[in-house]
Amino acid sequence: DIQMTQSPSTLSASVGDRVTITCRASQSISSWLAWYQQKPGKAPNLLIYKASSLESGVPSRFSGSGSGTEFTLTISSLLPDDFATYYCQQFDSWPLTFGQGTNVEIK
Amino acid sequence: EVQLVESGGGVVKPGGSLRLSCAASGFTLSSYSMNWVRQAPGKGLEWVSSISRSSSDKHYADSVKGRFTISRDNAEKSLFLQMNSLRAEDTAVYFCARKPADGGENYYYYMDVWGKGTTVTVSS
């Protein structure tokens, strides 16, 4: 199974900050990676797919990059609505696996 | 509006069974492969099972293989998860989620539309 490891697990930031979350795969997954945002009590919401493609309707302050085993999700300027938990997910091979999540909290 | 609505969750004793349903609306279910993903209380997301749009391919997490069965009825616009031999560690919110049409039936299993989830509690 491909293990997905996110860092950090918790990130404290302020409105307006540039935020970067890292996701590492235990083996190469090419660009087969998605990022999701989840708020408490809600379903996840797709942000980025194929490592760097922005899902329709997602604000352009979100961006993704990387390939192989290392990937990043960047929020260029944090807004109050962005405080949430973020997950990466690989879809290179079965079983599908998620990172453990990164909680972006208010500093 | 594209929508997925799960139902069928509840409280069940260890060893019991439940059948979850997911009703699709606003899109043609038969054109999409589908997934179940769960989230235990206070924990992260865990993929459970996937089914191709024709039902020809099904995949399961090792943690549920042999106990859970995924199925679909495209005519009824519904996805199902039959859960048998339930354990305490199956306690979670279960989400159904759509795989985009991108990549056809068998590739690119990320999830672009999610339901709100249904809660399963396994407890004596």
Side-chain angles (χ1 to χ4, degrees):
Chain A
D1 299 4
I2 298 175
Q3 309 302 318
M4 306 301 293
T5 304
Q6 291 181 230
S7 59
S9 294
T10 303
L11 189 160
S12 298
S14 302
V15 172
D17 284 353
R18 181 181 180 88
V19 165
T20 298
I21 299 168
T22 297
C23 177
R24 290 187 173 88
S26 60
Q27 64 190 72
S28 177
I29 57 170
S30 185
S31 295
W32 310 132
L33 184 96
W35 289 98
Y36 303 89
Q37 177 194 68
Q38 187 182 33
K39 297 181 179 178
K42 302 293 187 182
N45 182 48
L46 176 66
L47 300 175
I48 302 286
Y49 61 96
K50 293 180 187 176
S52 60
S53 296
L54 189 68
E55 173 69 352
S56 176
V58 173
S60 59
R61 64 181 181 274
F62 292 92
S63 64
S65 65
S67 66
T69 61
E70 188 152 336
F71 302 85
T72 58
L73 173 71
T74 299
I75 309 172
S76 61
S77 182
L78 207 60
L79 294 184
D81 190 50
D82 301 335
F83 291 97
T85 300
Y86 294 84
Y87 294 92
C88 61
Q89 178 234 325
Q90 66 83 17
F91 51 97
D92 176 79
S93 62
W94 302 101
L96 306 179
T97 46
F98 289 88
Q100 82 278 15
T102 295
N103 180 30
V104 177
E105 61 178 27
I106 300 173
K107 192 171 186 178
Chain B
E1 181 193 2
V2 172
Q3 198 170 10
L4 295 168
V5 179
E6 302 92 337
S7 61
V11 180
V12 62
K13 288 182 167 54
S17 298
L18 275 178
R19 189 190 196 213
L20 305 185
S21 299
C22 172
S25 60
F27 67 100
T28 303
L29 181 65
S30 59
S31 298
Y32 294 86
S33 299
M34 297 292 293
N35 308 275
W36 287 98
V37 175
R38 68 184 181 183
Q39 187 168 37
K43 303 297 185 183
L45 301 171
E46 180 188 15
W47 169 76
V48 173
S49 183
S50 300
I51 185 169
S52 62
R53 59 190 182 204
S54 65
S55 299
S56 60
D57 289 299
K58 301 177 184 179
H59 300 271
Y60 298 93
D62 283 348
S63 57
V64 307
K65 202 172 292 183
R67 301 187 298 123
F68 291 10
T69 302
I70 192 170
S71 63
R72 62 193 295 160
D73 185 334
N74 289 334
E76 293 297 320
K77 302 178 185 179
S78 293
L79 174 73
F80 304 102
L81 187 68
Q82 177 66 44
M83 304 188 298
N84 298 332
S85 303
L86 282 161
R87 305 166 179 166
E89 54 264 36
D90 296 318
T91 294
V93 175
Y94 285 74
F95 299 100
C96 72
R98 189 181 80 173
K99 187 199 91 64
D102 181 22
E105 186 171 19
N106 293 314
Y107 295 95
Y108 306 165
Y109 267 84
Y110 60 98
M111 296 143 209
D112 67 342
V113 177
W114 295 67
K116 296 185 178 190
T118 187
T119 301
V120 172
T121 303
V122 184
S123 173
S124 55

